[in-house]
Amino acid sequence: MRARLLAAAGLVIGAAIATTSVAVAAFPEKPVTIIYPWAPGDPVDTVLRTFGEHAAAKLGQPVVINNVQGAGGTKSLTAGATAEADGYTLVNNWVAPQIGAKLFNPDLPYDNESFIPIAGVLAIPFTITVAADHPANTIGEFVAWANDSGTKLNYGVCAPQSVPRLVGEQFMRSAGLDYVPVPFSGGCMGDNVTGLLNGSLDVAVSVVPATKRFEGQVKHLGLIADERHALAPDLATAGEQGYEIGWGNTALGWGGLAVPAGTPDDVVAMLQTVTGEVLQSAEFKADLGDLAPMIKYVGPDDFKQLWTDSLDLLRPHVEAILANN
Amino acid sequence: MHAIIDTLANLPDLVGLTQITVLVIGVAVGVVIGALPGVGPLLGTVMAVPFTFGMDPVSSLALLMGIYQGGSYGGALSASIVGIPGTPMAAATMLDARPMAVAGRASEAVTLSTIGSSFGGIVSALVLIAVAPSLATIALKFGPAETAALALLGLTTLGALAGGSPVRGWLMGMFGLLIATIGLDPVTGVSRFTFGSVYLDSGLTLVPLLVGLFGISEVLIQLERPVRAKDATTNVAASIAAFRSVIVRPINYLRSSLTGVFIGILPGVGGVTASFLAYRFAMPFRKKADPEFGRGNPDGVVASETANSAVTGGALIPMLALSIPGDPIVAVLMGGLMLQGIAPGPRLFLNHPEVVQGVFAVFLLGAIVLLPIGLIFIRAIVHILRLPQWSIMASVVMISMIGTYSVSRQILDLAALLVFGAIGYVLRKGNYPLSPVVIGFVLGPIFEANYRRTGLISQGDLLGYIATRPITMAVLAAVVVAIVLPLVRPRVTKPQVGADSAG
């Protein structure tokens, strides 16, 4: 019985090895999955699905989006890091779960070395946002208003352990503002923006698309980014208004594609090439329509460098928050 | 009133055959999805979004809202027939629907649920049409302080829902509160009681808890002592009794509808709270001829089902008027709208009045067609009563597991399901009521997060801050009344044991 079991196990392992080597030779020979961490139907989901259609045409295999939600994206990254390293599973990695959450919670079963970069895909800058009826229209006016009022500002944060929180707080500090961070849930267009509308909050960190969703109810005072963004070309950056935070691309909500460490080099190279071609193609951007300005292609080497830079830059700030908790 | 007449007058222009067909499909799919334990209207709407890509805005909303309306009702069917709430919102319905069904009034219980759902949906649709923009401001009056106070009011129902043993109700409520603290702290983000598990970081979720606690434990109990829903009366007699209830108990229908609409408007409170609150509000008005609450009182079924369906229209109000989605399902509906290039918010009513009117009309029709569709389903579902018990129970286990897994696609949710099944079994054997666990689990996080946000916003002067919030003060006064009143009022009802362990 035992011998038969062993023989059977040997057969299975042998078959597994055989299929792996064949798979590399003819990659891809079955559908490719992208693990995606946020809500189905949100703009990023649409971007990835459109990307999937274009990539499928080049790969000759369907690209499936697998939604693994929960715990601020860390479930998705965990699934991505522990997936089989055969190139058939990509993960849509984001700065928040990969860098921010990892710094807050070192027990998470992944780090930057668990992944191989395929490409940076999206970059969404954060904004300093107030209710539409707030007297200030620029960051300068807001700072003057805050100093005149002489109170501590109630400042709404998207989530307690999030990168936008760190970015927003860096802005508040560099502007010399006195504030209490009030963490909400539901993302940067969620309950924290509602807090502005119902007067619980003075100011919040949000994202450009909030203007469209909360049209006429909120206004952005400035973008916390090095350069203006195509989604809102008229919105001046904080730096232009004299409040530079100096975090570069780390201050962006960046997201991209990665595969688990150990994926064969030739498969990685193929995925990198195909992804780069799709992201830079005019047809892809045309298909995205209004969402196209969210795309920011970053090559694999630069993307990897962004991971390292973000980790180094954010570490002391997370440690400061943890020390205060 | 003016707006209602406008919408009704323009109905033929607003809604064509396509929209009605899509709507009927949506409601029917929703009823099935709601009745299956585990899967609910959230998963239903999420899965339907891709089908709306090629549709016009009103059709796409018709499909999604139909699933929302049908799904909010479907849970009552499984609650009555097999003793498992198909959705969390049906947990309060089950308190009386199940005992009714066991006592031979299965058809009447489900028909009452159908009428209640349709009634609640129609009232909420009319409120939505008549006063959506002006009522939406209520959502803005409820900041963290008011929401925390309201969650506290919800928690005061714990003792009353324990079927005569308030202590057991409170105890089970505490258990619900306790397990709700597992996961990331809402304010500091620190992991609590997770023992390093990434799975527990996002907390336990309601679906495995509910399906395990009620569903798996029900199967275990039935293994020992089969209890069946029965249909002693004919369909016709049951239907007549159920329809008569609208005339006999109009106040209950109206009160529960308005409770549901109001709770629906408030962001982040939801259908579970609404159905339990409406149930609680119905309790003082028990008719002498009816059984006790928890023992098959038709008013309990009506209150819960009417309220949880009325939530749907209420929840659309802040979403459409302010782009604030009050619950995850409405967030999906909003996503569906935005995919059509239509941004909700105050300007929606100016920029796209035709879409607003169309959505209103479709929603009203959805609530109306729910009645015939529900009645057809009842005729089908009571046939389940004729199946052998072993086949029902085996299917329940299988469907519960598939349903739970399909929501999150996490294998550990199945482990949670089985653990809660075992816990539910032990609690029932000890005659501990299960509904308070659900209330504690749902309201605990709402209370905690909002209470602590209030603390931060008040910047150290909590009492001073609350004193400036009249709504918070009023709700807190209601909390005091709810706690003190049962203590001073002489008890007229005889104590009874184990309300929802009867099934």
Side-chain angles (χ1 to χ4, degrees):
Chain A
M1 185 65 202
R2 199 163 181 185
R4 269 162 81 194
L5 264 181
L6 274 176
L11 263 178
V12 170
I13 293 166
I17 292 168
T19 36
T20 316
S21 52
V22 171
V24 171
F27 180 87
E29 57 175 14
K30 60 177 186 180
V32 174
T33 300
I34 299 177
I35 300 176
Y36 159 74
W38 316 126
D42 92 355
V44 178
D45 186 34
T46 312
V47 167
L48 285 183
R49 281 178 201 281
T50 313
F51 169 80
E53 285 165 23
H54 285 257
K58 288 181 188 287
L59 291 170
Q61 286 288 344
V63 176
V64 182
I65 309 294
N66 181 14
N67 174 240
V68 182
Q69 254 178 292
T74 57
K75 282 196 173 171
S76 204
L77 272 269
T78 305
T82 52
E84 202 165 333
D86 57 6
Y88 288 106
T89 309
L90 286 78
V91 61
N92 173 219
N93 62 330
W94 284 87
V95 61
Q98 185 177 335
I99 312 291
K102 176 66 187 175
L103 286 168
F104 278 107
N105 181 6
D107 291 341
L108 285 171
Y110 56 77
D111 58 24
N112 283 352
E113 299 312 311
S114 310
F115 303 101
I116 300 172
I118 298 298
V121 179
L122 299 122
I124 304 166
F126 302 113
T127 59
I128 292 298
T129 302
V130 295
D133 56 5
H134 196 284
N137 287 308
T138 62
I139 292 179
E141 287 173 23
F142 180 76
V143 172
W145 172 86
N147 290 336
D148 282 349
S149 77
T151 52
K152 262 190 177 183
L153 299 173
N154 283 322
Y155 151 64
V157 179
C158 329
Q161 299 186 338
S162 61
V163 172
R165 169 181 182 171
L166 300 171
V167 172
E169 289 199 13
Q170 177 68 9
F171 164 80
M172 301 294 272
R173 278 192 297 269
S174 58
L177 297 170
D178 197 8
Y179 65 92
V180 180
V182 185
F184 283 83
S185 57
C188 292
M189 291 198 287
D191 294 351
N192 64 333
V193 175
T194 311
L196 289 176
L197 304 183
N198 66 33
S200 318
L201 299 175
D202 300 308
V203 58
V205 62
S206 186
V207 286
V208 172
T211 338
K212 190 171 177 207
R213 192 176 127 190
F214 294 98
E215 197 185 0
Q217 302 183 83
V218 297
K219 59 186 170 191
H220 300 308
L221 300 180
L223 211 57
I224 319 177
D226 283 359
E227 46 197 56
R228 292 194 181 204
H229 198 279
L231 278 177
D234 296 336
L235 183 61
T237 66
E240 282 176 59
Q241 303 184 46
Y243 297 88
E244 190 70 68
I245 77 160
W247 277 12
N249 284 340
T250 298
L252 295 174
W254 55 254
L257 292 171
V259 289
T263 306
D265 289 346
D266 49 347
V267 171
V268 170
M270 183 194 179
L271 288 171
Q272 288 171 339
T273 312
V274 166
T275 305
E277 283 171 13
V278 169
L279 292 176
Q280 290 166 293
S281 78
E283 296 84 21
F284 172 62
K285 291 197 174 159
D287 272 4
L288 282 178
D290 287 355
L291 297 174
M294 288 166 65
I295 299 299
K296 180 172 180 164
Y297 171 68
V298 180
D301 295 337
D302 290 342
F303 194 38
K304 176 104 187 179
Q305 189 59 43
L306 185 54
W307 300 356
T308 316
D309 292 350
S310 300
L311 190 71
D312 293 344
L313 196 143
L314 297 178
R315 176 174 280 127
H317 298 282
V318 171
E319 283 167 358
I321 287 181
L322 289 177
N324 274 332
N325 270 348
Chain B
M1 275 303 123
H2 183 66
I4 296 177
I5 294 162
D6 268 6
T7 306
L8 291 178
N10 294 334
L11 212 54
D13 301 332
L14 295 167
V15 191
L17 195 60
T18 325
Q19 281 90 8
I20 292 180
T21 314
V22 169
L23 178 71
V24 168
I25 293 171
V27 172
V29 167
V31 174
V32 174
I33 284 178
L36 295 174
V39 285
L42 177 59
L43 188 69
T45 47
V46 166
M47 290 192 310
V49 166
F51 293 100
T52 68
F53 287 160
M55 295 181 182
D56 64 278
V58 174
S59 298
S60 83
L61 262 274
L63 180 66
L64 299 178
M65 290 193 310
I67 294 174
Y68 186 27
Q69 290 173 304
S72 300
Y73 150 75
L77 295 176
S78 33
S80 323
I81 302 292
V82 284
I84 298 162
T87 63
M89 293 166 282
T93 313
M94 201 176 92
L95 289 174
D96 286 287
R98 179 64 179 164
M100 275 183 84
V102 171
R105 297 163 75 189
S107 285
E108 191 187 339
V110 280
T111 311
L112 275 176
S113 306
T114 315
I115 298 170
S117 292
S118 186
F119 192 98
I122 292 171
V123 170
S124 77
L126 295 178
V127 172
L128 178 70
I129 295 168
V131 282
S134 42
L135 262 193
T137 53
I138 294 179
L140 290 185
K141 299 233 161 45
F142 272 70
E146 290 75 17
T147 309
L150 190 79
L152 208 54
L153 182 65
L155 287 172
T156 62
T157 61
L158 285 173
L161 294 175
S165 171
V167 176
R168 283 168 187 251
W170 287 107
L171 209 59
M172 288 297 96
M174 301 287 178
F175 176 62
L177 290 172
L178 186 72
I179 54 178
T181 59
I182 295 173
L184 298 181
D185 178 300
V187 169
T188 64
V190 173
S191 296
R192 302 188 297 201
F193 309 118
T194 60
F195 307 102
S197 148
V198 178
Y199 170 74
L200 287 178
D201 266 352
S202 49
L204 293 169
T205 45
L206 188 53
V207 167
L209 177 126
L210 184 90
V211 178
L213 219 48
F214 288 93
I216 301 298
S217 77
E218 174 74 16
V219 172
L220 293 174
I221 294 271
Q222 296 261 352
L223 280 175
E224 301 177 346
R225 175 177 57 92
V227 176
R228 300 206 55 162
K230 289 189 290 286
D231 216 6
T233 54
T234 61
N235 266 330
V236 178
S239 301
I240 292 173
F243 278 99
R244 255 193 81 224
S245 73
V246 185
I247 301 155
V248 182
R249 320 163 191 271
I251 305 293
N252 186 10
Y253 280 96
L254 274 174
R255 183 186 52 237
S256 306
S257 297
L258 296 178
T259 306
V261 172
F262 178 72
I263 296 290
I265 294 172
L266 308 179
V269 184
V272 181
T273 315
S275 53
F276 278 109
L277 269 182
Y279 184 90
R280 179 70 186 87
F281 293 156
M283 287 176 80
F285 304 101
R286 184 171 77 89
K287 291 196 190 319
K288 284 219 172 62
D290 286 338
E292 304 265 349
F293 275 89
R295 297 211 157 170
N297 187 316
D299 270 328
V301 179
V302 168
S304 168
E305 267 316 295
T306 309
N308 70 32
S309 289
V311 162
T312 54
L316 288 179
I317 292 174
M319 186 274 270
L320 289 172
L322 300 165
S323 57
I324 299 173
D327 69 39
I329 307 170
V330 179
V332 176
L333 297 188
M334 188 168 85
L337 205 54
M338 294 184 78
L339 280 175
Q340 303 279 348
I342 291 168
R347 298 198 190 167
L348 174 68
F349 290 77
L350 299 174
N351 297 347
H352 297 282
E354 76 294 346
V355 172
V356 176
Q357 292 249 303
V359 167
F360 287 174
V362 166
F363 188 83
L364 178 61
L365 283 179
I368 294 169
V369 299
L370 181 64
L371 189 60
I373 292 178
L375 293 176
I376 292 167
F377 269 97
I378 289 173
R379 292 193 66 98
I381 205 165
V382 290
H383 286 296
I384 291 178
L385 298 176
R386 301 201 190 111
L387 294 173
Q389 189 74 349
W390 59 263
S391 67
I392 300 177
M393 289 300 127
S395 316
V396 162
V397 175
M398 204 171 68
I399 293 171
S400 296
M401 298 193 84
I402 295 172
T404 303
Y405 181 74
S406 64
V407 172
S408 62
R409 277 180 279 176
Q410 297 202 53
I411 208 81
L412 283 173
D413 272 358
L414 295 182
L417 173 82
L418 297 177
V419 169
F420 279 111
I423 293 174
Y425 173 75
V426 173
L427 292 177
R428 282 172 153 201
K429 293 302 269 185
N431 247 331
Y432 286 91
L434 299 178
S435 300
V437 182
V438 177
I439 302 175
F441 186 79
V442 169
L443 288 177
I446 299 177
F447 175 73
E448 188 201 355
N450 285 294
Y451 172 71
R452 292 177 62 190
R453 277 173 205 143
T454 312
L456 289 169
I457 290 167
S458 69
Q459 301 188 358
D461 183 19
L462 186 62
L463 291 180
Y465 180 74
I466 290 174
T468 65
R469 315 281 296 193
I471 298 177
T472 311
M473 301 280 279
V475 179
L476 288 177
V479 170
V480 174
V481 171
I483 294 173
V484 173
L485 205 60
L487 301 178
V488 295
R489 202 169 52 182
R491 300 187 60 150
V492 280
T493 53
K494 258 197 337 210
Q496 30 162 323
V497 181
D500 49 9
S501 49

